[in-house]
């Protein structure tokens, strides 16, 4: 689908929401419907081209209506406008989760919608799986060309709608990590038929059983391609999923002139553990780097 066709689809499905918010169903490059919500800044200004918008990419098993994501959106709207959405296979979005692969197209659709609404400055903030997605989305946008075999796999649209600043929170540096008990449980849920049933009915997450083909660009290989776009890597020293070698690997691979690393004392994992104070600091960093 062309960007213009995607925007037209969003306009047709646009519905009013509370307090100036609005909802839309977007169609991705590969035709998956994605539920999306736009919320204006509570700081005022309305829907203005001068107001930045933060597009939030949730973690695995999250969704637009989950309390953790609503809390993140509430914190960010105190500073600026926010778009939240459910990745494919999550919430009311269609399709099945590919655990960070084709989800880059879901993010691209949300970023493109932000620009069709009139926002000139778009910031992507991703948590855990969403963190890996914002990194790869930014890398594809920066180098403006598809990955090997992307044309065959239908992922070429990811590099047409870049962000002006990128924040990855609790993101992995590499694929297939099983070094912690929580990640071993995640891999069981993804790779085993019984695990996928538990995910579908217990966690309301529908997982594609076909796996990756080809394997997407790893986060540690994506970060060097993002510069000069400002990048912030945030990680907790109490993260039960990914230990500190993950953010340190990402930082070591990134451009030092355009990248910052925050190791947060006492912080656990992703949006469910992020304190309000950290969310406000993230928003402040992003707004300061998108003048």
């Amino acid at each position: 689908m062309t960007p213009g066709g995607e925007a037209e689809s969003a306009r047709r499905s646009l519905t009013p929401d509370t307090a100036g918010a609005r909802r839309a169903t977007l169609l991705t490059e590969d035709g998956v419907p994605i539920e999306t919500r736009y919320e204006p800044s509570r700081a005022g200004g309305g829907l203005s081209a001068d107001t930045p918008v933060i597009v939030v990419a949730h973690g695995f098993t999250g969704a637009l209506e989950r309390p953790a994501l609503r809390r993140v959106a509430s914190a960010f709207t105190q500073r600026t406008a926010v778009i939240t959405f459910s990745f494919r296979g999550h919430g009311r979005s269609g399709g099945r989760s590919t655990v960070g692969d084709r989800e880059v197209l879901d993010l691209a659709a949300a970023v493109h919608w932000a620009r069709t609404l009139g926002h000139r400055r778009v910031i992507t903030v991703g948590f855990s799986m969403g963190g890996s997605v914002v990194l790869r989305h930014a890398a594809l946008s920066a180098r403006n060309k598809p990955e090997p075999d992307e044309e065959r796999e239908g992922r070429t649209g990811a590099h047409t709608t870049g962000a002006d600043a990128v924040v990855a929170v609790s993101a992995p540096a590499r694929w297939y990590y099983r070094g912690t008990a929580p990640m071993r449980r995640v891999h069981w849920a993804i790779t085993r038929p019984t695990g996928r049933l538990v995910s579908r009915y217990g966690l309301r997450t529908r997982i594609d059983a076909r796996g990756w083909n080809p394997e997407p660009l790893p986060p540690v290989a994506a970060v060097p391609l993002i510069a000069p776009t400002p990048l912030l890597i945030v990680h907790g020293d109490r993260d039960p999923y990914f230990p500190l070698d993950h953010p340190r690997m990402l930082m070591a691979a990134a451009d030092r002139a355009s990248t910052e690393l925050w190791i947060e004392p006492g912080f656990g994992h992703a949006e469910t553990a992020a304190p309000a104070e950290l969310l406000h600091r993230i928003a402040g960093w992003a707004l300061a780097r998108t003048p």
Side-chain angles (χ1 to χ4, degrees):
M1 175 172 289
T2 64
E6 177 186 279
E8 181 60 31
S9 173
R11 283 194 291 271
R12 285 199 302 269
S13 63
L14 197 64
T15 55
D17 206 329
T18 58
R22 59 186 71 186
R23 293 175 182 264
T25 300
L26 308 178
L27 282 179
T28 65
E29 178 85 5
D30 58 345
V32 177
I34 300 296
E35 65 164 348
T36 315
R37 185 183 187 193
Y38 173 86
E39 298 173 72
S41 171
R42 287 186 280 166
L47 206 170
S48 167
D50 294 327
T51 303
V53 60
I54 295 177
V55 179
V56 184
H58 62 75
F60 182 61
T61 75
L64 186 153
E65 298 294 353
R66 293 290 175 92
L69 196 60
R70 299 272 38 90
R71 185 173 58 83
V72 170
S74 178
F76 287 162
T77 55
Q78 293 182 34
R79 304 289 299 273
T80 194
V82 174
I83 287 176
T84 49
F85 64 95
S86 295
F87 278 123
R88 61 186 63 204
H90 294 72
R92 294 186 180 91
S93 290
R96 294 177 183 271
S97 174
T98 62
V99 200
D101 180 14
R102 288 177 179 256
E103 282 75 8
V104 72
L105 298 179
D106 309 346
L107 178 61
V111 170
H112 180 70
W113 188 45
R115 298 208 184 274
T116 65
L117 290 173
H119 290 282
R120 287 197 296 260
R121 293 175 287 165
V122 180
I123 301 144
T124 54
V125 178
F127 295 86
S128 192
M129 179 188 78
S132 70
V133 173
V134 301
L135 292 174
R136 189 157 141 265
H137 172 263
L140 292 171
S141 303
R143 73 183 189 181
N144 200 32
K145 63 180 180 180
E147 295 177 22
D149 291 327
E150 273 188 335
E151 200 166 335
R152 175 173 58 84
E153 291 298 312
R155 295 195 301 235
T156 54
H159 57 80
T160 64
T161 51
D164 300 294
V166 181
V167 183
V169 184
S170 306
R174 56 194 185 273
W175 304 135
Y176 309 114
Y177 179 73
R178 292 179 171 86
T180 58
M183 281 307 300
R184 288 191 286 275
R185 289 194 293 270
V186 169
H187 280 279
W188 174 81
I190 294 168
T191 61
R192 303 289 181 146
T194 303
R196 290 192 291 272
L197 280 174
V198 170
S199 295
R200 183 183 184 97
Y201 295 107
L203 302 174
R204 292 177 290 173
T205 302
R206 307 174 305 280
I207 301 172
D208 193 324
R210 293 173 295 179
W212 290 340
N213 183 27
E215 180 180 301
L217 188 72
V220 73
V223 290
L225 307 176
I226 295 173
T229 300
L231 169 63
L232 174 62
I233 300 165
V234 182
H235 213 89
D237 67 358
R238 300 288 183 88
D239 192 312
Y241 288 81
F242 303 115
L244 291 178
D245 63 312
H246 285 261
R248 288 169 179 158
M249 284 179 65
L250 293 174
M251 187 64 198
D255 175 68
R256 295 273 174 166
S258 58
T259 307
E260 292 185 38
L261 170 62
W262 295 356
I263 301 295
E264 295 294 310
F267 173 40
H269 185 72
E271 64 265 42
T272 56
E277 181 274 335
L278 174 59
L279 296 173
H280 288 298
R281 276 196 288 124
I282 288 171
W285 178 94
L287 295 177
R289 281 151 186 81
T290 52

